[in-house]
Amino acid sequence: MSMMEKNIPVDFDPNAPGINNGCYFGMPFTPEESSLVLFPVPWEVTASYGGGTALGPDAILDASMQVDLYDVHNPGGWKRGIGTLEMDDTLLPRSSRLRQEALQVMSYLENGGSTEADFVQRRLRRVNKASIELNRYVYTESKRWVDEGKKVGIVGGDHSVPLGLMQVMAERYPGLGILHIDAHADLRKAYEGFTYSHASIMYNALQEAPGIGSLVKVGIRDFCDEELETARTDHRVVQFPDHELAAAEFAGESWQQVCNRIVERLPQQVYVSFDIDGLSPDNCPHTGTPVPGGLSFREAVYLLVRVVESGREIVGFDLCEVSPARDDEWDANVGARILYKLCNLTLKV
């Protein structure tokens, strides 16, 4: 019996319905007892289309009670401990207030306004300052747990939130590879004037986490000329866009062969950044910016499994952009299952 198994309460039944004790999947572990710590960050200030991703961490928590704990790719993996950090209750109301200011900026720009207007500049300063503070919070909290020997997974929130964790992991593992599953390239510089926009996460990661050795992007199908130029001129960026994945399938290449090509471009230590809209929209119909195409649930899971089966190690991850609907828990249901798969594959070392 492992040390972690000894910490399992005798009255915990992994076969019983999950009990919402404030921990994802109803796990009976504190963060201190766990090998993997989940870090909920309910933040969506710069979401530029649909909203609701700040409600993702809580919605995924509720849906996770329905996830059976047996995982075919790592049976018993949960016994190593999956802990949940207590959510900072100040983040959601702060995100909601600042989002209203950000929406005013977006509306003004969409109607032909300029980012140089005083009206816009005041709001940009407030939002950008708050984003810097959030990044510092995520960095500091993530580093604390990584320094204690834990792995960390962030549950967003929009895709701007994991920058601090990416910085921590790139410092810890120079040459780190990021596997980026997404519908969007996220390589825009200060999109709409917001330095830390959700549309800029990978641009900022490349700029502010210099330890990143490669950025392998899978399923991308929405991008602009500026992003293509950034990808072309930065040798660390490797793209497997959606149209090329489709062409390979239509030409008869198996998904296994495609996944092998993707995995070959990754180094030994891998950080997974999973935007739920990397999946086809039938899996996440309410995500902020859905795009036709994308990976099936099974294709995404198979790719993640191939990463680990290749001998590579997932050292951290984020799951972002899950946006629940008031009368439909499907998005959260899919998100909870992607989250559990990420947890078990991260624990499989």
Side-chain angles (χ1 to χ4, degrees), residues 7 10 22 31 41 49 52 70-71 74 140 146-147 151 168 215 220 225 231 233 239 284-285 295 297:
N7 291 330
V10 293
V41 186
Y49 189 60
Y70 185 89
D71 184 273
N74 188 11
T140 302
V146 170
D147 286 348
K151 291 186 175 181
V168 170
L215 172 60
I220 312 301
D225 291 340
T233 56
Q239 301 204 79
C284 51
L295 305 183
F297 184 92

Side-chain angles (χ1 to χ4, degrees), residues 42 86-94:
E86 187 171 348
M87 192 181 299
D88 184 339
D89 290 336
T90 69
L91 288 180
L92 185 55
R94 193 174 187 211

Side-chain angles (χ1 to χ4, degrees), residues 86-124:
E86 187 171 348
M87 192 181 299
D88 184 339
D89 290 336
T90 69
L91 288 180
L92 185 55
R94 193 174 187 211
S95 172
S96 297
R97 176 174 55 81
L98 287 165
R99 176 157 169 72
Q100 293 310 307
E101 296 207 39
L103 287 173
Q104 291 174 20
V105 171
M106 295 173 199
S107 176
Y108 183 75
L109 297 179
E110 288 168 2
N111 285 284
S114 167
T115 56
E116 300 304 314
D118 288 343
F119 164 86
V120 172
Q121 283 294 310
R122 288 194 301 272
R123 285 158 178 77
L124 287 178

Side-chain angles (χ1 to χ4, degrees), residues 208-222:
E208 300 187 26
I212 294 172
S214 61
L215 172 60
V216 180
K217 306 165 75 61
V218 178
I220 312 301
R221 50 199 188 274
D222 219 6

Side-chain angles (χ1 to χ4, degrees), residues 186-201:
D186 290 349
L187 288 171
R188 294 176 181 266
K189 181 179 179 180
Y191 185 54
E192 297 174 312
F194 302 113
T195 304
Y196 294 100
S197 168
H198 70 119
S200 304
I201 178 63

Side-chain angles (χ1 to χ4, degrees), residues 216-220 238-242 244-245 261-262 265:
V216 180
K217 306 165 75 61
V218 178
I220 312 301
V238 180
Q239 301 204 79
F240 292 87
D242 190 67
E244 290 186 6
L245 299 180
R261 288 198 285 115
I262 294 169
R265 304 305 297 269

Side-chain angles (χ1 to χ4, degrees), residues 113-151:
S114 167
T115 56
E116 300 304 314
D118 288 343
F119 164 86
V120 172
Q121 283 294 310
R122 288 194 301 272
R123 285 158 178 77
L124 287 178
R125 283 194 293 270
R126 283 196 287 270
V127 170
N128 288 334
K129 179 176 181 290
S131 296
I132 291 171
E133 292 168 353
L134 179 82
N135 293 340
R136 187 178 302 122
Y137 162 68
V138 171
Y139 175 90
T140 302
E141 190 70 9
S142 298
K143 189 174 189 301
R144 168 192 169 195
W145 293 103
V146 170
D147 286 348
E148 291 188 15
K150 317 292 185 183
K151 291 186 175 181

